[in-house]
Amino acid sequence: MKFTFWGTRGSIPTPSNPQTPTQEYGGDTTCVSLEWGRDGLLLVDAGTGIRRAGFHWLQSGRKNFTILFTHAHWDHLQGFPFFAPAYLAGNSIEVLSPRLPNRPAGNIIEKALYAQQEEPFFPAGFPELRANITFREVQPGEELKFSSGKETVRVQSALTRHPGGCLAYRFDGLGRNGPSSLVFATDNEPPIDPRSPLLKMTRGADLLICDGQYTEEEHEKRRGWGHGTPSLCLEQTVAAQAKRLLVTHFDPGHSDSQLKKMEDALIAAGQKRGVAATFARQNQEILL
Ligand SMILES: [Zn+2]
Ligand SMILES: [Zn+2]
């Protein structure tokens, strides 16, 4: 299985600039992909990173896509109007939308994707997209299966702690050395509660990808905003007995040098706890 970070930034795209260089860790908002087997592909979220992902698969002639969404905050769907495969007749895109608690009826991602392309926000309306785009909902705790040839990836979901709700996903499939698993848990302010469905779902995973947007000081001032810190991510990894941690959803105010300092502190803390812990980087590929 191959996991790729197309976008690692939280909240708003952060192009590299002299005050806040972001070239190393990345400035595009959240989009990641999982590939397996002959041609298995799942995309998660459609932040601005999905623009490059779209061109990548367009070049390879791919026509079928599945996009799993974690939630409808704008940094997770603002790249969709620039996802080139959506404009081509003959392509098909299945969109999986989380059914979040205490939300009005209706598919939230369908509603949000339509709304962000409405006049006057964008020149091409959603109905002008030529691909066959279908929507369905994922319930928290629901299990899904996706196959490529004989190889199947099992997907589980659990709610994170985030304003308005958000789903984390666990992917289980065949890795290079046998069964392999990873959990993508962005937009989460973790309570380290072993009874939480997210921690239960993370148990024993080979890799946890986790939201560590804030420094400890920032988190003190932003409690309840729904994001974690690298050390909370590490606590979550240890509590779930996951083997490896990658931190993502970087704060738009954090430059490469600040992120490097935060990452060095995390690496040292991880070594003490026996966990390989680093920060994700845009375009990074992880082979599992
Ligand atoms: Zn976000
Ligand atoms: Zn969010």
Side-chain angles (χ1 to χ4, degrees), residues 1 34-37 40-42 144-148 150-156 170-174 180:
M1 296 197 290
L34 181 71
E35 293 167 83
W36 75 96
L41 170 66
L42 286 170
L144 306 163
K145 280 187 175 149
F146 298 91
S147 293
S148 162
K150 285 182 185 158
E151 284 188 36
T152 298
V153 163
R154 185 164 71 108
V155 181
Q156 300 171 71
R170 174 175 174 135
F171 304 88
D172 281 89
L174 190 61
S180 198

Side-chain angles (χ1 to χ4, degrees), residues 9-12 29-30 45 70-71 73-76 162 166 186-187 211 213 227 249:
R9 191 63 55 169
S11 307
I12 190 166
T29 54
T30 303
D45 284 345
T70 58
H71 64 316
H73 283 163
W74 201 29
D75 53 320
H76 297 258
H162 194 62
C166 174
T186 190
D187 294 64
D211 174 341
Q213 178 160 349
H227 300 289
H249 207 275

